Amino acid sequence: MPENRAAATKQSDAPTNNPKLLAWVEEMAKLTQPDRIVWCDGSEEEKQRLTKDAVDKGILIPLSPEKRPGCYLHRSDPNDVARTEHLTFVCTRTKEASGPNNNWMDPKEAYAKLGKLFEGSMKGRTMYVIPYLMGPAGSPFSKVGIELTDSIYVVLNMRIMTRMGRVALDTLGDTSGDFNRGLHCTLDLDPEKRFICHFPEDNTIWSIGSGYGGNALLGKKCLALRIASFLGREEGWLAEHMLILGAEDPQGKKHYVVAAFPSACGKTNFAMMVPPPALKGWKITTIGDDISWLRIGKDGRLWAVNPENGYFGVAPGTNKKTNPNAMACVERDAIFTNVAMTKDGDVWWEGMDGQPPAELTDWRGNPWTPESKTPAAHPNSRFTAPMRNNPILDETADDSEGVPISAIIFGGRRATTVPLVMQSFNWAHGVYLGATMGSETTAAAVGQAGVVRRDPMAMLPFCGYDMGDYFGHWLKIQARLAEPPPIFLVNWFRKGPDGKFLWPGFGENMRVLAWVLARAAGSVGASETPLGLVPRPGDLDTEGLGLTPEQVKQATSIDLAEWGTELESQGELFTKLERTLPAAIRLERELLIARIKN
Ligand code: GTP
Ligand code: SPV
Ligand code: MN
């Protein structure tokens, strides 16, 4: 039982002398009134201790030490399984700064409202202080965050997803106040009392009422995208929802590419893909699978750093054929959230290798058989795995300057309209293609799945300021680049009349990447359409693909009638962002309409 509360929360054992950090932790402890404060150091001993505690409390279920050594299963509250965009706020001093793309609350009002919920919220509980670093140690671009949380699950996930503990305190030093102030409490997981509030002007995040990934692991979407995009605009760089991959061509030359796809639209898979036998001279390596911080290097090229240290990946659909590297990542030391469990202590999800087992325990903890009407694993079930488990981790993953980028790819999940690949005519047109991108909603966020919405640059839920200003920021980057990388739009998800995907996807996407890189190198031509540049017949390597020329045509074709409808739908975005939409984007739209309607 807690002794004297003041004594319990005194910080004589804090592993830092930084007065700004100590004062803030003390202030937050006064507000939330935990029984204990535990500073996390990121050590192996700490991991063992917290894991045991989590198992004792039923937060983690140990999996078979033979089948999944060091792995655990977590079952979340069934009402807390995905990001909640309607409960996510950007609290800038003026509503205009957050833009029509964000929910907004006045910062004073938000601090007061959430402050009431946080008051005494950690009574009887432990407050963990998690110092973490987003970005490689020693990199001038890395950012320090401190997350205060009452969730052991959050601590253990942050330990995988970030560089956590001593390294972050050392980076911060004894005097600096330059750290993100993250306060998180699970409370009673009541969606009525769930808020994820960002205060970019204070470098602060307050999240309450959810234990789910993007809502609770504050380094990820909250800091590395929403807050970082805001800082990036002020400081002249970009924080993007992008994977980073390395591609070594058959001649042994290395290229790096970033790609932005919305949540559950293929980033992790593309970043880890295995080229098909017909393209076996190619070698793919992963730098990052979700977030990219982009800066202009001294050489005038665009350079990308992955701020994360692990993967929080979608489980369903992952198997040894579609993504063997992700399967290797989760062989050991991974945390699974909301997947199904087998009789022998292994995990299972829809789309894993082989037949569904005859008996399972589903993600809610109920018995499940192949006859059951509900999925065994939640459609947004996830794995958290250390980046270092990845057999194809790029050797530069810890480089402080990142990697120079040869091409930028945008892509959505579209059953119709959008062809397999096209290239923009130039930078501004590329920004337009990214800005007007549409995608079908997925299980990664609460709400109806499968509805097409505009998701500019895959950043709709993650841009920490006005989206029109964000497009303007992208446009301005061009002038500072000596070699602006070419920009592409892709779609792996187009469907035929039979409702099946036209393109086999996964490793076969290497064929598209090969064309993208040939275009970037200027070694292949293209044919010009009103919408953009596309592969000429025969340019896309289809050897061994097993598709008829007609099927390839269906996947790659452009139907101007469909694009007429698409343009109308894009118009809604333009109306919404009217106040700040850059003239260049408006003009691109007018040009496109003129080209299509002539
Ligand atoms: P977040 O982690 O939410 O950001 O998702 P993500 O963008 O990393 O998507 P991920 O690679 O995890 O893929 C999401 C789902 O789409 C999984 O079920 C994949 O199996 C499936 N998927 C990924 N790539 C392809 C593809 O090329 N074709 C098809 N048909 N499905 C794909
Ligand atoms: C996404 O939804 O884009 C994710 C999962 O990567 S989460 O971290 O929860 O946002
Ligand atoms: Mn992913």
Side-chain angles (χ1 to χ4, degrees):
M1 271 293 103
E3 332 72 62
N4 171 322
R5 184 151 289 136
T9 57
K10 97 176 152 3
Q11 297 182 66
S12 52
D13 57 346
T16 177
N17 296 317
N18 186 310
K20 293 182 181 114
L21 175 53
L22 289 170
W24 173 69
V25 173
E26 189 149 328
E27 190 190 333
M28 294 303 107
K30 273 209 184 98
L31 174 65
T32 55
Q33 300 167 34
D35 282 5
R36 262 163 261 99
I37 298 179
V38 171
W39 288 73
C40 300
D41 60 13
S43 67
E44 191 56 37
E45 181 279 324
E46 173 181 272
K47 179 190 168 187
Q48 303 299 340
R49 180 164 37 83
L50 291 178
T51 302
K52 185 179 177 308
D53 197 12
V55 170
D56 291 345
K57 293 190 163 98
I59 298 165
L60 292 181
I61 301 166
L63 293 165
S64 155
E66 286 79 41
K67 298 193 176 277
R68 300 276 161 189
C71 292
Y72 295 84
L73 167 65
H74 172 73
R75 293 194 187 116
S76 79
D77 189 295
N79 77 31
D80 189 32
V81 293
R83 282 184 296 100
T84 43
E85 294 178 1
H86 59 296
L87 303 174
T88 301
F89 293 79
V90 171
C91 308
T92 41
R93 260 165 244 142
T94 67
K95 180 170 171 28
E96 287 68 38
S98 71
N101 45 298
N102 280 305
N103 300 316
W104 178 81
M105 249 193 270
D106 181 288
K108 278 202 203 90
E109 191 195 315
Y111 282 129
K113 185 170 183 162
L114 273 70
K116 277 214 188 78
L117 297 173
F118 273 118
E119 211 178 293
S121 62
M122 296 195 195
K123 268 186 197 157
R125 299 178 66 83
T126 300
M127 172 193 271
Y128 297 96
V129 184
I130 311 173
Y132 66 95
L133 195 58
M134 297 312 288
S139 168
F141 310 132
S142 293
K143 301 274 182 204
V144 174
I146 311 289
E147 177 165 356
L148 309 178
T149 181
D150 65 341
S151 161
I152 307 177
Y153 170 79
V154 166
V155 178
L156 291 170
N157 276 272
M158 286 292 281
R159 192 181 182 281
I160 298 174
M161 295 304 295
T162 73
R163 291 150 175 104
M164 177 187 134
R166 192 70 252 165
V167 62
L169 291 179
D170 288 348
T171 305
L172 182 65
D174 280 339
T175 53
S176 172
D178 186 13
F179 59 92
N180 180 268
R181 291 151 169 78
L183 177 62
H184 170 252
C185 181
T186 45
L187 213 61
D188 48 10
L189 300 176
D190 176 359
E192 295 296 314
K193 288 182 258 162
R194 182 174 298 164
F195 296 97
I196 297 92
C197 287
H198 305 70
F199 305 87
E201 287 138 343
D202 305 340
N203 198 3
T204 291
I205 304 159
W206 280 16
S207 167
I208 193 156
S210 168
Y212 171 75
N215 289 344
L217 311 176
L218 300 186
K220 194 173 177 57
K221 298 299 177 21
C222 300
L223 171 53
L225 285 178
R226 297 194 191 96
I227 299 279
S229 61
F230 184 97
L231 295 176
R233 182 177 178 225
E234 286 179 345
E235 297 166 8
W237 52 282
L238 293 162
E240 297 298 328
H241 193 199
M242 290 175 168
L243 66 96
I244 314 168
L245 63 75
E248 192 184 298
D249 66 25
Q251 289 71 46
K253 191 168 186 302
K254 192 83 178 267
H255 315 263
Y256 299 97
V257 169
V258 287
F261 310 151
S263 300
C265 290
K267 289 182 299 301
T268 301
N269 279 269
F270 196 53
M272 296 182 185
M273 86 183 140
V274 180
L279 280 82
K280 72 173 181 321
W282 286 91
K283 205 177 137 212
I284 297 298
T285 44
T286 315
I287 291 102
D289 82 325
D290 197 49
I291 299 179
S292 160
W293 287 355
L294 298 166
R295 288 165 212 267
I296 294 129
K298 290 183 198 81
D299 58 358
R301 298 188 69 185
L302 192 63
W303 288 70
V305 167
N306 169 20
E308 300 192 280
N309 198 31
Y311 310 122
F312 187 58
V314 174
T318 308
N319 63 52
K320 291 207 169 110
K321 214 165 137 246
T322 56
N323 195 346
N325 291 311
M327 291 306 281
C329 288
V330 301
E331 269 171 20
R332 56 184 63 247
D333 304 322
I335 299 173
F336 297 90
T337 301
N338 294 336
V339 302
M341 192 168 138
T342 65
K343 289 246 142 195
D344 55 0
D346 201 355
V347 288
W348 196 82
W349 49 74
E350 276 67 21
M352 208 197 230
D353 306 84
Q355 290 302 309
E359 280 181 293
L360 286 169
T361 307
D362 76 5
W363 67 276
R364 295 168 189 260
N366 297 325
W368 187 94
T369 68
E371 281 73 49
S372 299
K373 296 277 178 290
T374 50
H378 188 276
N380 189 41
S381 53
R382 299 250 166 189
F383 55 80
T384 318
M387 170 167 101
R388 265 151 268 278
N389 278 6
N390 183 353
I392 60 159
L393 183 67
D394 194 274
E395 62 196 11
T396 66
D398 285 314
D399 282 11
S400 54
E401 300 290 323
V403 292
I405 295 305
S406 298
I408 298 173
I409 304 177
F410 293 112
R413 181 183 282 269
R414 292 298 300 272
T416 68
T417 318
V418 181
L420 183 63
V421 59
M422 66 185 176
Q423 182 185 355
S424 72
F425 298 118
N426 53 46
W427 182 266
H429 181 238
V431 173
Y432 173 87
L433 286 184
T436 53
M437 192 168 90
S439 194
E440 290 154 23
T441 50
T442 66
V446 169
Q448 201 188 341
V451 184
V452 175
R453 67 170 184 184
R454 293 301 121 194
D455 191 349
M457 288 150 167
M459 283 288 278
L460 179 67
F462 308 118
C463 182
Y465 62 101
D466 180 278
M467 191 62 88
D469 290 336
Y470 168 71
F471 299 159
H473 184 46
W474 259 89
L475 289 167
K476 270 190 237 135
I477 296 281
Q478 179 184 16
R480 294 166 52 210
L481 287 169
E483 280 180 67
I487 300 179
F488 299 81
L489 184 69
V490 302
N491 177 23
W492 316 140
F493 300 97
R494 203 173 193 178
K495 288 179 176 169
D498 59 358
K500 294 208 176 107
F501 292 121
L502 286 164
W503 180 252
F506 302 105
E508 305 294 353
N509 295 334
M510 181 66 231
R511 298 169 189 274
V512 175
L513 181 60
W515 184 76
V516 161
L517 288 169
R519 288 295 300 159
S523 61
V524 68
S527 81
E528 185 172 323
T529 75
L531 287 148
L533 304 165
V534 300
R536 297 169 307 184
D539 280 345
L540 204 61
D541 187 341
T542 54
E543 196 202 313
L545 183 60
L547 294 188
T548 64
E550 178 55 30
Q551 286 171 313
V552 175
K553 204 171 146 218
Q554 282 181 340
T556 54
S557 67
I558 288 171
D559 176 343
L560 290 186
E562 279 185 332
W563 276 92
T565 315
E566 182 74 4
L567 277 169
E568 277 168 34
S569 159
Q570 292 181 0
E572 289 162 26
L573 176 79
F574 283 75
T575 309
K576 192 171 170 190
L577 300 179
E578 199 162 29
R579 199 181 68 85
T580 52
L581 197 74
I585 300 292
R586 217 184 294 272
L587 289 169
E588 286 293 343
R589 174 171 167 80
E590 281 177 34
L591 271 172
L592 177 54
I593 291 173
R595 285 198 297 269
I596 288 189
K597 303 236 162 116
N598 66 12

